[in-house]
Amino acid sequence: PSPPPPMAPNKSPLPPVPSAGATFRAVKALNATHVWAVGDYGLLMSSKDGGFTWQDRKNATGNNNINWRSICMKAGTSGWVVGEHGNIWYTSDAGDTWLKEESHANGLHLNGIDCQADGRYGWAVGNSGLILLRDTFADASGWQPQTTCSTGDLNAIRMWPNSREGQVAGANGKVCYTLSGGNLWTEQLFPRVFSSSTVWLTLDAPILGLSWVAGSGGALAVYTGGSPESPPPPPPPP
């Protein structure tokens, strides 16, 4: 007998999110049902049913004036949220309570964050090339600035799971990689040279050695050179 036809995707619109019209800046899906969204004026929300209902976590931080820009949650229980003026807040109870951490960012805006699956390490990036590293096993050290590869604003970071390799992206067409868990960053070279006016706004890397960046002016690039330390592949023939 013929196989049954594939099921049509569910295209039912989700109910509106009770965000009071504030702007969302980042969304993080932990799995098919557990989602976090953050944004301006302290907007901090979570859903455990795929977005049909949302829980407002704004009051958990006690500060409704922070414009959040990125969030990282691991195993659904611990994670960080970052935003303007160097704000980094941490939760260990799935967002019920949040504690402010010293970022040593000197008031610079923080634009992106990533963390390892076990929650031990966290990395944050921000304006003026700021890169921060947090080792929760060395609790007393807090967030520590790392040697950077850029003086321009950095907007996104992606660290590969169970690896010390990762990338950051931001202004001036700059993408950098690390092989040392963030202690040293080196500029990533692409087959195509992008304008110094290019501002990379987002970065994703589904597997080690494959990464995408997208930004201003329609700029979109993919790197498929294996480990970042490998030379990039030649451009396709015209």
Side-chain angles (χ1 to χ4, degrees):
S2 301
M7 295 181 62
N10 182 1
K11 296 183 179 181
S12 301
L14 293 174
V17 179
S19 61
T23 298
F24 285 106
R25 299 288 179 182
V27 62
K28 182 68 175 180
L30 305 183
N31 51 44
T33 58
H34 196 176
V35 186
W36 284 83
V38 301
D40 292 350
Y41 302 107
L43 188 61
L44 182 62
M45 310 193 72
S46 66
S47 172
K48 293 185 177 180
D49 58 8
F52 285 93
T53 60
W54 290 86
Q55 184 174 2
D56 189 346
R57 306 282 189 157
K58 178 186 294 187
N59 293 329
T61 65
N63 193 324
N64 296 341
N65 297 319
I66 301 173
N67 292 330
W68 301 118
R69 295 190 171 183
S70 187
I71 187 170
C72 176
M73 297 290 294
K74 295 299 181 184
T77 57
S78 64
W80 290 276
V81 62
V82 300
E84 295 182 350
H85 307 298
N87 272 285
I88 298 183
W89 292 61
Y90 176 76
T91 183
S92 59
D93 57 9
D96 289 337
T97 59
W98 294 81
L99 297 175
K100 185 178 182 179
E101 295 190 336
E102 176 57 57
S103 66
H104 300 108
N106 296 321
L108 294 173
H109 296 337
L110 298 173
N111 305 318
I113 190 165
D114 199 6
C115 49
Q116 294 285 40
D118 61 6
R120 174 175 177 176
Y121 291 106
W123 296 264
V125 296
N127 288 2
S128 299
L130 183 65
I131 302 176
L132 301 173
L133 170 64
R134 177 79 159 95
D135 182 355
T136 59
F137 286 14
D139 189 66
S141 64
W143 289 89
Q144 297 298 317
Q146 303 297 295
T147 301
T148 185
C149 64
S150 176
T151 58
D153 297 347
L154 294 173
N155 298 317
I157 181 168
R158 179 71 167 97
M159 299 296 295
W160 287 283
N162 304 314
S163 171
R164 296 181 63 79
E165 301 185 24
Q167 288 175 300
V168 297
N172 305 322
K174 188 76 63 102
V175 177
C176 303
Y177 69 88
T178 181
L179 303 175
S180 59
N183 295 316
L184 178 66
W185 295 85
T186 304
E187 184 174 0
Q188 178 75 69
L189 300 178
F190 287 87
R192 172 185 169 188
V193 177
F194 288 89
S195 168
S196 60
S197 63
T198 298
V199 179
W200 297 117
L201 298 172
T202 186
L203 161 70
D204 199 13
I207 59 175
L208 186 65
L210 174 64
S211 56
W212 290 85
V213 285
S216 64
L220 180 65
V222 60
Y223 180 81
T224 56
S227 175
E229 64 183 340
S230 304

